[in-house]
Amino acid sequence: MASGSGFSRRAVLGGLGLGAAGLAAGSLAAPAARAAGKTIVGFIYVGTANDYGYNQAHAEGAAAVRKMPGVTVLEQARVPETVAVQNTMDGMINLDGASILFPTSFGYFDPFVLRLAKSKPKAQFLHAGGLWKEGEPLNAHSYFGFISQAVYTAGIVAGHMSKSKKLGFIAAKPIPQVLRNINAFTLGAQSVDSSITTTVVFTGDWFLPVREAEAANSLADQGADVLTCHVDSPKVVMETADKRGIFCTGYHTNQAVLAPKAYLTGAEWNWTGLYPRLVGDLIAGKTLPNMIRGGFREGFVRNSAYNAIVPEAARKQADGVRAQFMAGNFAVFKGPLKDNKGNTVLGAGTTLDEFDLVLEQMNYLVAGVIGSTS
Amino acid sequence: MSGIGWWGVPVAVLAGAIRVSTPFLFVSLGELVTEKSGRVNLGLEGTLVMGAMSGFAIAWLTGSPWLGVLAAALVGALLGVLHAAICSLPRVNPIAVGIAMMLFGTGLAFYLGKPFIEPKAPELPALDLGFWSANPAIRSALKVNALFFIGVALAPALVWMLRNSGIGLVLRMVGDSEDAARAMGYSPRLVRLAATGFGGALAGIGGSFLSLYYPGSWNEGLSSGQGITAVALVIFARWNPMGCLWASLLFGGAGALGPALQAIGVTGFYHLFNALPYIVTLLIMIVSCSPDRTLAGAPGELSITR
Amino acid sequence: MRLVRLADAAAPPLVALLATIVAFALFLLAAGADPLRAYGLIYLGAFGTWFSWQNTLVRAAPLLLTALGMALPAQIGLIVIGAEGGFVAGGVAAIAAGLPLAALGLPAVIVLTGMALAGMATGAALVAACGALRHWRGVNETISSLLIAYIAIAVCDQLVEGAMRDPASLNKPSTRPLPEALMLGTIPGTNVHLGLVLGLIFCVLAYVFVFHTTWGFAARVVGANARAGRLVGLPVGRLILIVTALAGAATGLAGMVEVAAVQGAASADLAVGYGYTGILVAFLARQNPLAVIPVAVLMGGLEASGGLLEQRLQLPDATITVLRGLLFIMLLASETLQGRLRLKLRARAPRPAPEPVRRAQAGGA
């Protein structure tokens, strides 16, 4: 699909299309925004924008961008990770004049964002996932937050609250970003009590409510008394924990209202903080880096407010670690560290900085996690 | 509080059989009544999703989960009657209409359901049959929803109704031979309208179970094909209501097996474990079907068995 | 006469289209949206500009082939709804064949041909299995095709996230990608991939097969009345196998195109519903392989325009699904008008016996 001569030709045709679109749109109630010289920003979500999860976190960021002066926000939900996303972005550029795009699902990047970025050099693409590599188009950017830091602090709270010393983790797929969270959660809890174990259930996909409920119930049956998850919508897991009378910690965004008794704290994205900053920089004509990453310190992630039942000792330890993250002198992954098959994955004295790309390739579960990566 | 180890697997399968089976049970019993009248409604997937959405919406707006169930039944009946009305036109293919209704019902539910994704509706009550046990897993497994009992009671009631009552007789007659029914002065069209409406109502109730009890909220991923699978269960159950009950329990239990095995540390091949219910259904269909005779219990006018 | 017959066949769908436009307008009014503006946007998004046309055609390309997965078995009286399974399995098989061929350094034409053959063979095996189960075991093909599709997708997910996973595909488990140079290119001057051309060719070939070959004729005889087919000595079992295998081959090829022209590798993202939309397209085309072409383009256009409704009218993303559902129902209901709107000229022609046709459509074999 991508041949050298095709690009320029496509760019030309794209330009023609834009002109034609302008003509057609003129007769069809053209969006006022284009005439007024506004910056048009498009957000694309893989699911529903109010899912109490992944997509809602991004939509909250989009809502923050919408409040900026001189900016119009376009949104499209439930766009699958296929050529549909390429066409959707292309449409936002061609038919609506968008110049900044936020394709927010991980699987949008390769090949769809990359292809379009090559053929639409004037548009800026900001992809959630942290995937950009040297040699890829410069107008494609990929950002990601070290949410495993916030998961670690949530794990500390879970460690304090667990009586059975068994935690449960419902995950979609055994991929590095998920494994990193499972490990961070377990390590956080083990920093409270080294005998704590985490049992993982993989559901196989990002949004399967009935199976997530089954997994949560099975884990509760096995004595897990704090549950957390890495799926697109944590709603069902939180509500199931609440019904079973056990605790949970949230993910993606704040789910406290769904499980008032059970919700201890949660690991949240702070896109409301980041997105207006990125859009503001672009409007001001600044060049953004292609890889944009950060954790607590850079304001990319945060924790939900503690439940009233979380004891002082837990708050104190979690707050202390968060303060160290903010200061930049705490690492989740440091040696000696063994995986759950007994292999040493980090030697004594080794400390992995969050920016270390080795962490992006995590393919193990740490000792104390019951589950396998395949 | 500690885990129950390997015992967790049979407990989870039992619990899953009870929790997950209810929607299958209602949809398959509803489809059974419809098919007994000689009509297939493949649109019950859409009806299930509409039932889940409308039941949740009404329960949230009125504060009463039972009003939600009622609304789901009404919406389901309405969709069923619409299906029957279109199918009663000459030269219209009921299977295609079913697929269209599936698409329409799902689309409409997603469209109308946007405002109801976030709220929390009151939940349907459950009976605590595990009160005797100190084990939380068993207590939870035996916390059985009222709709499950209604479904379980409905199966033998339908057996009796089909065998002994006048309504059952008329239904079976229309399903077995339109001409005979017409000769006796019954209108196949009206009987099918009623049977499809009834089937839709049950499917709607099955949907409301998903949104009002388990997993207990409205969202767009709620149904992963339960409605259409339940239609398969009817063939599997040989048009016998008790067969629908067993098949639904089997299906629910098989679905619980995958997560339960992982919870005790048996990992790997979870995609295949998750497909287990479909594999089981297919195998039993292959073993139990035969090309030489029409399936026992199959209504003669039913296009799906010809 | 031919024109009259065409007009006769086209009249009910046109009535249905008008009815849908009115019904959807009422629906939009109820939602507080301006129907005229909405229809303007649908036109703009689907066919209003050269860009829209390309967007529409890219979305239509897979539907041409997946629709054949439904339309071909319908000729012989089978309702097969498992195209999604053939699509996914075809895509996975294609990459499984393509990677070793590419490793041998073979030219693109050979690699792509190998991939297409592997995809088609796999799709054919899956759908033909439904046909075989129907004929020799009496298993209802509608249900078995759906179950087989679910199972095939689970097996493929297991493969792309397990045995066939590229260790470098970190957070999006996929197979190893096909080298960029070997990928199926685009139609010169557009960004529409060559899969569209393949789809068009297959639709035409399928049409020729069904209406201009002995095999196709025999299949239609069996579809109209299986017993009669058997009485005149037609090899019903073999016909069912051939037709379902061809249908499966089309769905498998669609999967191969998705991998070779769009995704570049196989992942769980292959199962996004092209197979299910294909069912809709086939029914709207009244199971005619040639009519699949305009219907697929219409359907691609509707999908392409969904975004504009969402962005400019703030309508929910499911609006287009509602429109598709309405259109589908109206078109099916309009079948009842078939023959009643006949022009006077047509009245002289002998009336075909309606009974076997009805049975064929009801899926009896």
Side-chain angles (χ1 to χ4, degrees):
Chain A
M1 183 145 187
S3 67
S5 62
F7 296 144
S8 54
R9 193 160 48 221
R10 266 215 298 286
V12 171
L13 288 166
L16 285 174
L18 192 67
L23 282 176
S27 57
L28 275 161
R34 181 183 282 170
K38 281 194 162 190
T39 303
I40 297 167
V41 185
F43 284 85
I44 298 137
Y45 315 116
V46 74
T48 306
N50 53 354
D51 62 353
Y52 274 106
Y54 186 84
N55 298 294
Q56 184 167 328
H58 290 295
E60 284 167 5
V65 172
R66 200 187 284 276
K67 289 197 190 113
M68 298 170 71
V71 172
T72 300
V73 167
L74 306 170
E75 290 178 283
Q76 191 163 342
R78 289 172 63 84
V79 178
E81 293 175 347
T82 64
V83 74
V85 69
Q86 196 178 330
N87 289 332
T88 298
M89 292 188 291
D90 213 350
M92 284 179 167
I93 296 168
N94 271 323
L95 303 180
D96 289 292
S99 57
I100 303 173
L101 289 148
F102 281 84
T104 61
S105 187
F106 194 89
Y108 289 163
F109 192 70
D110 188 9
F112 308 111
V113 169
L114 289 177
R115 263 183 218 154
L116 199 62
K118 282 182 202 160
S119 65
K120 295 280 184 293
K122 282 192 186 146
Q124 296 289 325
F125 298 84
L126 292 104
H127 167 259
L131 282 179
W132 190 86
K133 287 190 297 288
E134 206 57 54
E136 287 174 347
L138 294 174
N139 57 332
H141 312 266
S142 202
Y143 56 88
F144 205 65
F146 304 132
I147 199 162
S148 50
Q149 294 183 335
V151 173
Y152 184 88
T153 46
I156 293 175
V157 176
H160 277 277
M161 298 299 291
S162 174
K163 291 196 182 72
S164 67
K165 305 299 169 198
K166 288 181 177 178
L167 313 179
F169 201 116
I170 293 124
K173 297 179 186 219
I175 57 173
Q177 283 171 1
V178 172
L179 300 178
R180 188 167 168 178
N181 283 337
I182 298 170
N183 290 338
F185 188 68
T186 308
L187 291 172
Q190 286 176 345
S191 75
V192 179
D193 180 338
S194 60
S195 70
I196 288 178
T197 59
T198 305
T199 306
V200 186
V201 174
F202 291 106
T203 58
D205 218 332
W206 296 103
F207 188 37
L208 296 167
V210 176
R211 203 173 291 156
E212 287 155 14
E214 273 307 294
N217 275 308
S218 293
L219 287 166
D221 286 348
Q222 290 300 329
D225 60 356
V226 186
L227 299 184
T228 192
C229 62
H230 188 162
V231 293
D232 272 359
S233 174
K235 192 177 184 191
V236 163
V237 173
M238 303 299 135
E239 289 178 342
T240 307
D242 200 47
K243 280 184 208 167
R244 292 292 301 251
I246 57 177
F247 297 120
C248 58
T249 70
Y251 192 64
H252 290 312
T253 182
N254 193 329
Q255 291 104 22
V257 290
L258 298 174
K261 290 181 302 211
Y263 193 86
L264 300 173
T265 180
E268 297 180 30
W269 304 104
N270 186 16
W271 301 139
T272 46
L274 181 68
Y275 289 179
R277 242 158 63 204
L278 296 176
V279 172
D281 281 357
L282 284 173
I283 291 175
K286 289 185 195 157
T287 307
L288 292 180
N290 292 98
M291 263 295 237
I292 308 165
R293 300 193 299 159
F296 274 123
R297 188 178 159 84
E298 294 81 8
F300 280 49
V301 299
R302 63 188 175 210
N303 280 121
S304 322
Y306 299 117
N307 192 312
I309 53 170
V310 174
E312 195 50 38
R315 293 171 189 239
K316 213 170 154 191
Q317 190 184 343
D319 287 345
V321 171
R322 196 177 312 113
Q324 281 179 281
F325 275 128
M326 297 291 266
N329 51 21
F330 192 91
V332 174
F333 296 96
K334 47 186 178 274
L337 188 64
K338 282 195 169 167
D339 70 11
N340 64 357
K341 294 176 193 144
N343 308 314
T344 301
V345 284
L346 284 181
T350 326
T351 298
L352 290 180
D353 182 79
E354 290 287 351
F355 287 89
D356 200 321
L357 290 175
V358 173
L359 286 172
E360 304 286 345
Q361 291 163 19
M362 190 165 283
N363 58 2
Y364 54 85
L365 288 163
V366 298
V369 179
I370 299 161
S372 86
T373 54
S374 62
Chain B
M1 185 156 97
S2 76
I4 47 176
W6 271 98
W7 277 106
V9 177
V11 169
V13 170
L14 171 74
I18 294 172
R19 280 191 300 249
V20 183
S21 65
T22 310
F24 290 118
L25 182 57
F26 274 91
V27 180
S28 61
L29 288 178
E31 178 71 8
L32 180 136
V33 171
T34 307
E35 290 191 9
K36 278 286 182 191
S37 78
R39 173 73 50 70
V40 179
N41 183 1
L42 277 186
L44 291 187
E45 173 76 19
T47 313
L48 177 97
V49 178
M50 260 312 268
M53 191 282 296
S54 50
F56 186 87
I58 296 300
W60 180 62
L61 293 171
T62 63
S64 160
W66 289 109
L67 278 180
V69 174
L70 187 69
L74 285 177
V75 167
L78 210 65
L79 286 174
V81 167
L82 182 63
H83 179 278
I86 297 173
C87 290
S88 67
L89 300 170
R91 274 188 293 271
V92 172
N93 174 352
I95 300 222
V97 174
I99 297 170
M101 292 295 293
M102 190 189 316
L103 188 78
F104 179 67
T106 311
L108 198 61
F110 287 7
Y111 181 93
L112 299 173
K114 292 285 172 201
F116 305 109
I117 294 177
E118 280 175 75
K120 230 173 121 83
E123 190 176 86
L124 281 169
L127 293 181
D128 193 4
L129 293 186
F131 58 88
W132 48 270
S133 170
N135 189 309
I138 292 180
R139 290 193 70 143
S140 159
L142 293 180
K143 208 171 157 203
V144 183
N145 185 272
L147 276 182
F148 176 76
F149 290 111
I150 296 176
V152 169
L154 200 57
L158 280 177
V159 172
W160 181 87
M161 196 272 286
L162 287 169
R163 198 174 296 157
N164 301 322
S165 75
I167 300 176
L169 191 70
V170 173
L171 194 67
R172 282 190 292 139
M173 189 159 56
V174 169
D176 282 332
S177 165
E178 269 186 44
D179 298 336
R182 235 180 253 119
M184 297 286 289
Y186 294 104
S187 155
R189 188 183 289 199
L190 279 181
V191 171
R192 285 189 184 141
L193 199 74
T196 317
F198 180 78
L202 286 193
I205 295 175
S208 71
F209 176 88
L210 287 171
S211 61
L212 291 174
Y213 186 70
Y214 192 77
S217 55
W218 159 248
N219 61 62
E220 293 170 359
L222 209 48
S223 171
S224 44
Q226 285 100 323
I228 190 111
T229 315
V231 176
L233 288 186
V234 179
I235 300 176
F236 184 78
R238 298 303 175 77
W239 294 272
N240 175 355
M242 291 310 285
C244 287
L245 175 60
W246 308 133
S248 301
L249 287 172
L250 178 74
F251 219 76
L257 191 61
L261 283 174
Q262 281 196 63
I264 59 160
V266 178
T267 54
F269 298 106
Y270 49 86
H271 284 296
L272 299 184
F273 276 120
N274 291 338
L276 205 59
Y278 308 120
I279 299 174
V280 171
T281 312
L282 183 66
L283 287 181
I284 297 187
M285 277 178 74
I286 293 174
V287 172
S288 62
C289 285
S290 161
D292 307 323
R293 57 188 163 82
T294 331
L295 289 172
E301 291 281 336
L302 200 64
S303 57
I304 207 158
T305 54
R306 277 202 203 124
Chain C
M1 264 331 260
R2 191 160 257 244
L3 256 181
V4 174
R5 223 177 306 152
L6 191 69
D8 201 24
L14 288 178
V15 172
L17 200 62
L18 272 175
T20 308
I21 288 173
V22 172
F24 188 63
L26 293 175
F27 180 83
L28 288 171
L29 280 176
D34 174 2
L36 283 181
R37 188 149 177 243
Y39 284 124
L41 287 174
I42 290 177
Y43 174 75
L44 171 67
F47 310 110
T49 70
W50 171 231
F51 163 76
S52 309
W53 263 106
Q54 295 188 70
N55 188 350
T56 295
L57 291 177
V58 167
R59 291 174 195 256
L63 302 181
L64 292 171
L65 289 166
T66 54
L68 291 181
M70 160 105 229
L72 285 173
Q75 309 299 332
I76 203 160
L78 300 184
I79 298 202
V80 170
I81 56 176
E84 188 83 356
F87 182 89
V88 173
V92 172
I95 196 79
L99 291 174
L101 291 176
L104 292 175
L106 294 168
V109 180
I110 295 177
V111 174
L112 288 170
T113 309
M115 288 176 73
L117 289 176
M120 287 161 69
T122 309
L126 280 181
V127 179
C130 304
L133 284 175
R134 165 84 216 195
H135 185 69
W136 282 286
R137 292 289 322 154
V139 178
N140 173 266
E141 78 286 352
T142 310
I143 305 292
S144 75
S145 64
L146 191 72
L147 292 172
I148 288 179
Y150 285 158
I151 297 167
I153 292 168
V155 170
C156 288
D157 282 353
Q158 193 73 52
L159 284 172
V160 298
E161 297 185 6
M164 288 174 67
R165 179 171 172 186
D166 176 3
S169 69
L170 292 174
N171 284 308
K172 185 184 175 189
S174 330
T175 63
R176 253 177 250 279
L178 192 67
E180 189 91 352
L182 294 180
M183 283 186 66
L184 198 59
T186 56
I187 301 170
T190 71
N191 56 18
V192 182
H193 58 75
L194 287 168
L196 181 75
V197 178
L198 282 178
L200 293 173
I201 293 173
F202 259 71
C203 282
V204 173
L205 286 180
Y207 174 80
V208 172
F209 170 80
V210 170
F211 292 104
H212 297 283
T213 66
T214 324
W215 285 100
F217 178 72
R220 283 185 295 134
V221 169
V222 174
N225 190 334
R227 209 164 292 147
R230 239 177 241 117
L231 282 178
V232 297
L234 289 174
V236 175
R238 209 184 318 157
L239 279 169
I240 287 181
L241 272 190
I242 290 174
V243 171
T244 47
L246 284 176
T251 63
L253 183 66
M256 174 268 176
V257 168
E258 180 70 10
V259 166
V262 181
Q263 304 258 0
S267 71
D269 279 336
L270 281 178
V272 289
Y274 289 127
Y276 298 122
T277 312
I279 298 171
L280 181 62
V281 171
F283 270 114
L284 296 192
R286 312 188 75 203
Q287 317 295 359
N288 181 322
L290 220 48
V292 159
I293 297 171
V295 175
V297 171
L298 179 71
M299 212 43 65
L302 282 185
E303 272 177 38
S305 63
L308 280 182
L309 292 186
E310 205 178 331
Q311 290 147 25
R312 296 216 188 144
L313 297 181
Q314 270 73 47
L315 287 167
D317 55 74
T319 312
I320 285 292
T321 321
V322 173
L323 174 58
R324 286 203 310 188
L326 272 178
L327 179 63
F328 196 3
I329 292 174
M330 296 289 185
L331 269 158
L332 291 171
S334 78
E335 303 254 315
T336 195
L337 298 175
Q338 192 66 41
R340 290 192 199 175
L341 297 174
R342 71 185 56 236
L343 302 167
K344 290 214 167 136
L345 265 172
R346 182 97 172 82
R348 272 184 279 131
R351 203 189 164 94
E355 184 56 14
V357 177
R358 189 181 70 85
R359 289 205 177 199
Q361 285 171 348

